[in-house]
Amino acid sequence: MLEMCTQERVCPSCKGSFFPEEKVVHKTLCGEDLVCSPPGEGYKAPDCKTYDFCSEKCLEEYESKLPTCGVVPGWKRYFGRINKVGSSSGIAGARPHQLRKYGK
């Protein structure tokens, strides 16, 4: 017999389990630790992902509790990643820009 290749999912609002073939509502939300609603339909950020809800009622209930995300410009996220790499330790505790000095 053929087995179904679907996975059972859990609704983030009511914590009920459901299958994707049943009634599923999709919503894109942003944030890693603190989930929030995106400010607009065209807003794209790397931490946004799609969540599945078991019903429209659960989606509305969950969305009513969420704050709206602040708009973070792309250049600010880009320079934040550069800052994180520049301040991280490299080989033997040296930062990436100091490696040439320690290599001699």
Side-chain angles (χ1 to χ4, degrees):
M1 295 192 127
L2 296 174
E3 291 187 27
M4 300 285 275
C5 297
T6 60
Q7 297 178 359
E8 191 173 9
R9 308 216 178 169
V10 177
C11 181
S13 178
C14 64
K15 305 295 184 211
S17 59
F18 63 95
F19 290 100
E21 292 82 26
E22 298 172 357
K23 50 188 175 184
V24 175
V25 180
H26 306 287
K27 179 69 178 177
T28 302
L29 300 173
C30 300
E32 295 174 3
D33 298 331
L34 178 65
V35 178
C36 57
S37 297
E41 291 293 323
Y43 183 73
K44 293 186 178 169
D47 62 345
C48 293
K49 64 180 183 177
T50 303
Y51 290 86
D52 296 330
F53 294 89
C54 59
S55 67
E56 190 72 37
K57 179 184 170 192
C58 285
L59 171 63
E60 290 173 4
E61 179 184 317
Y62 190 76
E63 218 172 13
S64 67
K65 298 175 186 174
L66 293 178
T68 303
C69 298
V71 178
V72 179
W75 64 268
K76 200 169 200 174
R77 287 193 307 263
Y78 177 68
F79 282 111
R81 289 193 310 263
I82 290 174
N83 186 29
K84 187 187 296 182
V85 169
S87 63
S88 65
S89 296
I91 300 170
R95 291 187 174 165
H97 64 278
Q98 297 171 332
L99 290 178
R100 184 172 282 164
K101 182 173 82 172
Y102 288 110
K104 291 182 179 180

